[in-house]
Amino acid sequence: MALSKTKTGLLFLTALLLMLFGANNLHAAAEDPHQIKPSANFVVTDSAHILSEQTKQTILKQEQTFKQTKEQPQVAVLTVNNTDGQSIRDFTNDLTLRQIWHAGKKGQDNGVIIVFAKNNGQNNVRVVTGTGAESVLPDGKIYQLLQAHKDQLKSSDSTAVDLGIRQLFTEVAATLPTTATTKQASSQNSGSSLLVASILVLVLLTIICFVWLSMRRMNGQASASYQGQRPNVHYRPGRGFSPWNWLLGGWFLSDLFSGPRSYRDDYQNPNQFDSFDGFDGGSDFGGGNDSGGGGDFGGGGSDF
């Protein structure tokens, strides 16, 4: 009887310890939206440790691509273990009230944040947008994207969840409109100008050779006639350097050195690329190259 009571007491004590241990773990796993901070590169904060290296690199590469555009949007991904009893919507709303979680370019508010929470196997996901991104990513569009990857995002397989997040991120990023910066445009124009210059040089060399050969032939004929070697030399069409040759050569040379008006304007006004649709080429990303921008939230969002 005493042995039975001892076993019961041990079982009770074990159960109590397990409950306390589980509660402590649950509390430790829960992230507070008022306290959680983004990682050093901002766009990838994997607190739940479910993102593969491939997914992280996809996000970081897209971030660098976005930085080279006029609009400079941002799509950040945050994973957490637990929302501490809050709904994914309330958790994300509290998160984006804090300045350090503001994504996108200041003044354009074109940031997007994808939040994934394990929540004890529920796998809740919310995509929230800034007001500047809401027109291209309305709630209905976000809902469709979430539903398209629901099987993966709700899976108990971490590999499937990782793939679902990566695909969701890629489709969200592809929706945001971007425009090439002045630097990219100048690079493209430089490449085109180099090609045109090469063609013009080739044309110039051809004309010079043509003029030189024609003049040499004409001088040879004149010399032979003067020395009496060919006293009966007469002008024949196609021989010598006729006025038509001069006219054709002069026209080519004039066109070569004048060039199309658009190219003359480019070289006469080298600073015309200093502005591009009012964009000064600067960046409004605050706090360094790998931080969040100054875009405000308050647009829309959808979740499950």
Side-chain angles (χ1 to χ4, degrees), residues 112-114 125-130 133-134 136-149 153 168 171-172 175 299-304:
V112 180
I113 296 181
I114 301 174
V125 187
R126 179 167 176 81
V127 179
V128 62
T129 62
E134 190 177 13
V136 294
L137 272 175
D139 296 355
K141 175 67 173 179
I142 296 174
Y143 178 77
Q144 291 176 356
L145 294 177
L146 288 172
Q147 291 298 315
H149 303 288
L153 295 171
L168 176 63
E171 293 181 13
V172 167
T175 306
S302 186
D303 56 77
F304 55 54

Side-chain angles (χ1 to χ4, degrees), residues 227-238:
Q227 294 176 9
Q229 296 176 358
R230 297 179 61 187
N232 298 321
V233 172
H234 301 284
Y235 170 78
R236 289 179 292 175

Side-chain angles (χ1 to χ4, degrees), residues 193 195-209 211 247-261 263-264 267:
S193 299
L195 176 61
V196 172
S198 300
I199 294 175
L200 293 179
V201 169
L202 180 61
V203 172
L204 176 62
L205 291 176
T206 302
I207 293 175
I208 290 175
C209 291
V211 172
L247 179 63
L248 182 63
W251 180 81
F252 271 114
L253 290 173
S254 174
D255 185 70
L256 173 66
F257 288 107
S258 63
R261 179 173 177 81
Y263 290 104
R264 295 201 307 271
Y267 292 117

